[in-house]
């Protein structure tokens, strides 16, 4: 297991409390040299929590506020990545390429990133996103299937985009297997590989060991390592700090935690925590707090929260975006959402298999009816 | 002397090529698999073919085309890019080509839907495994009501997806989506493929979502006709792949604003393989190799002017999977 001790350079700035007025009066510190880069995914992972109903006005507001706060990368796509608008994942209210173009138009300093999952999106989607002005390609596969992304990394590099690999549901692979898959992505052209805790299932050392293994494998090539956390077991921030200490230099967050399941590591909490530790993110705390409180909070229909269903996702290792789909199936078939998610975890379904939620709900409903009949003495 | 049998080459000794070899041996008496061609001398598929009496070579299509006696028909199970390069060479040598990659050089073929095709075609395309499993369902719905949009999700076990499939994932989605439109009859098609590494491996599972008119989203005569059409098509496909079945009853849902005002039907298909090469979870192999064997048999019979020899599930005396008692694999 990795080194869990906090090194001197990572120690928090202690000995004096920072008052709220100091934070608010804080002169803007946006920009400048940084120790790590925060990528905000409010407008991509948050799309799940918004049932993919983002408006252009919301996108412009969030991008403008994040850009002002000094967040360097802002991800904009359907929650399931480019091309995700569908029956299976939910249709987008506004075409994602229009949202990407609006984000590019609004940003003055920040780079606009897009997510794509090979098997769902193709190089054609990536080219359209690039034409709309996106400059960072985040290419995601299940943590053991990196070899499906090889053609996409090479195309993204040819387009001149910055490339980031996303190894999803990272708890499902051992640190060694994760490192092998990171190797495939780096060889294909990834400049950074993320350990993606899609289920919010990694608990502290689980995260750190995986990040360490990936760093050991790819840092000699000059590739960076990143961490994307979820709050299902409330580990997003703590895992992000451990990730930084292990050497990760890119960390994902979302304003107000707006993301799938119980949400992502809140960007504003990441900024505050890293600032207390003396780790420079280039993000202005006052501005990012205001972005969360005044820009995002007012339009969120339901704040992501650790409730029975989302905690079950963390516990059973279920892809976070299954949450709202399970709730809808629960309503349609009269079975509890957490029971659906528990079964989905047992069966080992991976990201993208939202259609299996219907299967599971039907099975549970059938079992429930058989149980009711048995209880009534019917054989 | 007129020939009564055609010789065949299989190019690509991976999962699909090897499974196809078994399908041809079992289901056609007029196609004789003679060559297995690859590029990797350590290939398990080449060794297996050799043990079964085929001439196996790791020296690629150059080797095949330099043989004194060329095959009458070639089945390509490599990658889309390889077939794009090889197709003109087969054509020049006068060899019929059945393409099991998503290269889509020739017309799309899905036997239960468009078997009456131009038999003089020198090159035909078998779409993809996901296409063979789902296009019949889209067609079953679109032959009753207009389908403005259809979407398919194919989930296959990681173990059954070889390097060709992995390198061709974009071509897979694009070719499948196009076939959902051209052969399935949807105005607009979309395809998604998911690889799942869970152990024990998951059986091939396909979901078909069709947008349907508002009236068909509600119970009634129109919905009943769609259901009847789906069940009839399942029986037709079972004549190729006995393990093809509905995982549960099709689910109809009334129109929703978040579905762009469309009603939909959801059709869950599971394909249990025959276990000819990989175990029965790999139904994705059977669904395309069985279709390719059927089409190959037809092409060869036409070219040689003899009767087709292909045997259906019932002619082989096999029992199709029971649609009313879906498999509960892995549960």
């Amino acid at each position: 297991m990795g080194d869990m001790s906090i090194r001197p350079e990572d120690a928090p700035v202690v000995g004096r409390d920072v008052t709220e007025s100091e934070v608010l009066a804080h002169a803007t510190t946006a920009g400048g040299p940084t120790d790590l880069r925060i990528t905000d995914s409010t407008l991509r992972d948050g799309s799940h929590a918004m049932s993919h109903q983002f408006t252009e006005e919301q996108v412009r507001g969030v991008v403008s506020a994040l850009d002002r706060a000094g967040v360097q990368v802002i991800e904009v796509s359907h929650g399931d990545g480019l091309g995700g608008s569908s029956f299976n994942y939910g249709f987008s209210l506004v075409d994602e390429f229009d949202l990407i173009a609006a984000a590019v138009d609004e940003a003055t300093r920040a780079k606009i990133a897009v997510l794509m999952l090979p098997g769902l999106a193709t190089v054609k989607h990536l080219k359209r996103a690039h034409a709309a002005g996106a400059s960072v390609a985040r290419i995601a596969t299940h943590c053991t299937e990196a070899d499906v992304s090889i053609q996409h990394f090479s195309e993204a590099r040819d387009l001149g985009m910055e490339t980031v690999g996303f190894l999803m549901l990272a708890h499902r692979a051992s640190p060694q297997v994760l490192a092998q898959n990171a190797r495939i992505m780096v060889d294909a052209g990834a400049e950074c590989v993320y350990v993606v805790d899609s289920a919010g299932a990694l608990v502290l050392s689980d995260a750190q060991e995986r990040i360490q293994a990936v760093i050991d494998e790819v840092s000699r090539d000059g590739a960076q390592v990143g961490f994307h956390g979820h709050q299902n077991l409330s580990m997003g921030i703590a895992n992000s700090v451990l990730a930084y200490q292990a050497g990760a230099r890119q960390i994902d967050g979302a304003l107000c935690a707006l993301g799938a399941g119980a949400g992502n590591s809140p960007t504003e909490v990441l900024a505050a925590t890293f600032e207390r530790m003396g780790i420079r993110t280039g993000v202005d705390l006052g501005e990012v707090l205001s972005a969360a409180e005044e820009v995002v909070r007012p339009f969120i229909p339901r704040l992501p929260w650790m409730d029975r269903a989302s905690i079950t996702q963390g516990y059973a290792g279920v892809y976070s975006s299954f949450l709202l789909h399970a709730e809808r199936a629960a309503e349609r078939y009269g079975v509890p959402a957490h029971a659906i998610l528990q079964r989905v975890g047992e069966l080992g379904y991976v990201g993208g298999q939202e259609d299996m939620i219907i299967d599971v709900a039907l099975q549970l409903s059938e079992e429930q009816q058989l149980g009711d009949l048995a209880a009534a003495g019917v054989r | 002397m007129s020939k009564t049998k055609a010789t065949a080459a299989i190019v690509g000794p991976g999962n699909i090529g090897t499974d196809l070899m078994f399908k041809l041996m079992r289901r056609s008496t007029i196609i004789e698999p003679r060559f297995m061609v690859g590029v990797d001398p350590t290939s398990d598929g080449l060794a297996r073919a050799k043990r079964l009496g085929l001439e196996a070579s790791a020296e690629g299509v150059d080797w095949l085309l330099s043989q004194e006696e060329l095959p009458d028909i070639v089945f390509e199970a490599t990658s889309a890019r390889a077939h794009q390069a090889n197709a003109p060479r087969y054509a020049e040598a006068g060899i019929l080509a059945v393409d099991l990659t998503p290269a889509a050089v020739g017309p799309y073929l899905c036997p239960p839907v468009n078997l009456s095709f131009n038999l003089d075609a020198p090159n035909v395309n078998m779409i993809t495994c996901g296409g063979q499993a789902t296009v019949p369902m889209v067609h079953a719905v679109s032959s009753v009501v207009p389908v403005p949009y259809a979407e398919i999700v194919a989930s296959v076990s990681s173990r059954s997806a070889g390097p060709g499939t992995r390198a061709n994932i974009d071509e897979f989605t694009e070719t499948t989506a196009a076939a959902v439109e051209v052969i399935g009859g949807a105005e607009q098609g979309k395809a998604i493929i998911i690889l799942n590494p869970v152990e024990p491996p998951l059986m091939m599972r396909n979901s078909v979502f069709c947008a349907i008119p508002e009236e068909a989203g509600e119970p009634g005569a129109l919905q009943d006709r769609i259901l009847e059409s789906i069940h009839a098509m399942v029986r037709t496909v079972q004549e190729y792949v006995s393990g093809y079945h509905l995982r549960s009853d099709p689910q109809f849902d009334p129109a929703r604003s978040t579905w762009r005002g469309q009603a939909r039907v959801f059709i869950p298909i599971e394909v249990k393989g025959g276990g000819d090469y990989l175990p029965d979870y790999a139904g994705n192999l059977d669904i395309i190799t069985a279709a390719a064997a059927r089409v190959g048999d037809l092409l060869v019979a036409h070219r040689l002017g003899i009767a087709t020899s292909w045997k259906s599930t019932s002619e082989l005396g096999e029992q199709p999977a029971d649609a009313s008692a879906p498999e509960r694999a892995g549960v």
Side-chain angles (χ1 to χ4, degrees):
Chain A
M1 116 161 211
D3 177 11
M4 292 282 291
S5 64
I6 295 180
R7 290 171 301 204
E9 66 270 27
D10 302 325
V13 182
V14 288
R16 140 190 123 73
D17 287 328
V18 181
T19 64
E20 193 184 341
S21 60
E22 262 185 292
V23 169
L24 295 176
H26 205 67
T28 188
T29 52
T34 56
D35 300 314
L36 73 82
R37 187 174 89 173
I38 290 181
T39 293
D40 184 275
S41 187
T42 310
L43 299 173
R44 199 282 302 165
D45 213 320
S47 172
H48 292 299
M50 296 290 291
S51 300
H52 317 292
Q53 303 298 297
F54 274 128
T55 64
E56 184 177 324
E57 192 190 351
Q58 288 165 347
V59 167
R60 285 184 178 275
V62 172
V63 170
S64 163
L66 285 168
D67 187 65
R68 196 161 51 240
V71 171
Q72 295 175 58
V73 183
I74 301 168
E75 187 176 49
V76 184
S77 304
H78 182 282
D80 293 86
L82 298 176
S85 181
S86 58
F87 273 125
N88 202 26
Y89 309 120
F91 289 102
S92 301
L93 177 67
V94 180
D95 187 304
E96 63 190 337
F97 294 106
D98 294 339
L99 297 181
I100 292 164
V104 169
D105 179 49
E106 206 64 44
T108 64
R109 293 180 292 185
K111 290 181 168 184
I112 301 302
V114 292
L115 181 77
M116 72 162 295
L117 280 65
L120 168 52
T122 67
V123 165
K124 284 182 186 147
H125 292 92
L126 195 60
K127 286 182 173 162
R128 273 189 75 186
H130 176 257
S135 56
V136 183
R138 307 219 301 175
I139 301 170
T141 72
H142 182 70
C143 56
T144 56
E145 313 297 316
D147 58 357
V148 299
S149 65
I150 293 170
Q151 64 185 128
H152 309 88
F153 279 110
S154 93
E155 292 276 357
R157 289 293 285 268
D158 288 349
L159 289 169
M161 298 179 85
E162 182 185 330
T163 49
V164 174
F166 237 51
L167 292 170
M168 301 189 292
L169 282 176
H171 74 282
R172 292 267 298 266
S174 68
Q176 292 71 23
V177 169
L178 209 56
Q180 288 160 11
N181 280 271
R183 163 59 45 202
I184 293 169
M185 285 185 163
V186 169
D187 287 347
E191 294 163 90
C192 173
V193 179
Y194 266 68
V195 172
V196 180
D197 186 13
S198 317
L202 294 175
V203 178
L204 304 176
S205 56
D206 301 331
Q208 204 179 28
E209 286 165 18
R210 283 169 176 76
I211 289 155
Q212 192 64 57
V214 173
I215 288 173
D216 291 347
E217 177 65 38
V218 306
S219 60
R220 62 173 179 270
D221 301 77
Q224 288 195 331
V225 174
F227 179 74
H228 174 100
H230 276 270
Q231 291 286 71
N232 303 341
L233 297 178
S234 195
M235 291 290 158
I237 299 292
N239 284 342
S240 297
V241 169
L242 288 174
Y244 175 78
Q245 289 173 342
R249 290 297 174 263
Q250 297 192 28
I251 302 287
D252 279 9
L255 294 169
C256 297
L258 194 67
N264 292 107
S265 319
T267 300
E268 63 278 19
V269 185
L270 286 171
T273 304
F274 283 123
E275 185 160 325
R276 281 303 299 259
M277 295 178 70
I279 298 159
R280 293 168 299 175
T281 62
V283 176
D284 181 88
L285 187 55
E287 292 284 2
V288 80
L289 286 173
S290 141
E293 192 76 15
E294 288 158 29
V295 178
V296 172
R297 182 83 193 256
F299 69 63
I300 298 183
R302 183 179 98 179
L303 274 174
W305 182 243
M306 289 154 275
D307 57 12
R308 174 148 69 170
S310 62
I311 295 167
T312 300
Q313 291 187 292
Y315 180 76
V318 177
Y319 199 68
S320 291
S321 65
F322 284 16
L323 178 65
L324 298 189
H325 298 278
E327 289 180 359
R328 282 181 213 115
E331 196 179 324
R332 164 87 157 80
Y333 296 106
V335 290
H338 68 90
I340 296 175
L341 293 165
Q342 178 69 39
R343 180 68 63 87
V344 164
E346 286 160 11
L347 294 174
Y349 293 135
V350 300
Q353 292 190 288
E354 271 79 345
D355 50 328
M356 298 302 171
I357 290 170
I358 304 174
D359 276 22
V360 168
L362 282 164
Q363 276 166 35
L364 288 172
S365 153
E366 193 178 300
E367 287 167 21
Q368 194 167 287
Q369 283 162 19
L370 290 174
D372 290 349
L373 292 175
V378 179
R379 275 166 187 271
Chain B
M1 175 186 107
S2 66
K3 284 172 82 168
T4 54
K5 258 189 181 194
T7 54
I10 299 171
V11 178
N15 293 343
I16 291 177
T18 304
D19 194 76
L20 174 66
M21 174 177 71
F22 289 113
K23 292 289 183 293
L24 290 173
M25 288 172 164
R26 286 188 64 201
R27 290 208 153 179
S28 172
T29 51
I30 59 173
I31 299 179
E32 182 197 343
R34 178 154 172 211
F35 307 102
M36 179 68 92
V37 184
V39 289
D40 175 7
T42 66
S43 150
D44 171 61
L46 285 180
R48 191 177 303 254
K50 200 172 249 172
R51 282 201 300 278
L52 287 165
L54 277 70
E55 290 176 51
S57 166
E59 288 166 48
V61 172
D62 290 344
W63 173 85
L64 180 68
L65 295 179
S66 68
Q67 296 305 297
E68 213 156 285
E69 264 183 70
L70 292 176
D72 298 297
I73 185 167
V74 63
F75 293 87
E76 178 110 38
T78 54
S79 70
R81 209 160 291 177
H83 185 66
Q84 265 149 11
N86 295 338
R89 304 179 68 191
Y90 301 143
E92 200 180 315
I95 305 172
L96 289 169
V98 176
D99 172 22
L100 290 83
T101 80
V105 172
Y108 302 127
L109 280 187
C110 180
V113 182
N114 66 335
L115 206 50
S116 9
F117 61 101
N118 175 10
L119 289 167
D120 292 318
N123 186 315
V124 294
N125 176 260
M126 302 311 300
I127 317 172
T128 60
C129 61
Q132 291 295 339
T134 58
V135 165
M137 289 298 120
V138 176
H139 183 79
V141 178
S142 77
S143 58
V144 181
V145 291
V147 174
Y149 171 76
E151 172 185 318
I152 75 97
V153 187
S155 291
V156 306
S157 78
S158 297
R159 279 172 178 242
S160 65
T165 304
R166 289 164 183 274
N168 285 169
I169 201 152
D170 274 19
E171 289 83 353
F172 178 101
T173 57
E174 283 163 4
T175 296
T176 308
V180 162
E181 296 170 4
V182 177
I183 312 298
E187 263 172 61
Q188 198 199 341
K190 183 177 183 69
I192 297 163
I193 180 171
I194 312 278
L195 305 183
N196 185 320
V198 77
E199 294 289 336
L202 291 179
M203 208 163 272
M204 188 208 197
R205 173 70 174 72
N206 306 274
S207 293
V208 179
F209 297 92
C210 292
I212 51 176
E214 219 172 315
E215 186 197 343
E218 308 286 347
L222 192 55
Q223 203 175 86
D224 292 345
R225 280 174 51 212
I226 296 175
L227 262 180
E228 214 171 285
S229 177
I230 291 170
H231 286 296
M233 186 59 89
V234 169
R235 288 190 295 273
T236 306
V237 181
Q238 284 176 337
E239 286 300 323
Y240 299 81
V241 179
S242 58
Y244 185 93
H245 60 271
L246 293 169
R247 169 104 170 146
S248 62
D249 291 333
Q251 303 289 303
F252 289 89
D253 279 280
R256 287 189 196 170
S257 60
T258 50
W259 292 343
R260 300 181 166 161
Q262 302 172 120
R264 81 173 190 197
V265 58
F266 165 81
I267 310 166
I269 295 287
E270 196 166 65
V271 188
K272 182 180 179 182
D276 286 332
Y277 175 48
L278 292 182
D280 62 8
Y281 60 78
N284 48 314
L285 303 184
D286 295 65
I287 194 82
I288 189 166
T289 57
R294 172 71 174 118
V295 166
D297 189 89
L298 208 58
L299 284 169
V300 159
H302 176 71
R303 178 164 283 200
L304 300 185
I306 57 175
T308 62
S309 70
W310 184 85
K311 292 180 200 64
S312 69
T313 298
S314 39
E315 284 160 351
L316 284 171
E318 290 177 2
Q319 282 301 313
D322 182 356
S324 63
E327 291 286 327
R328 282 286 184 262
V331 178

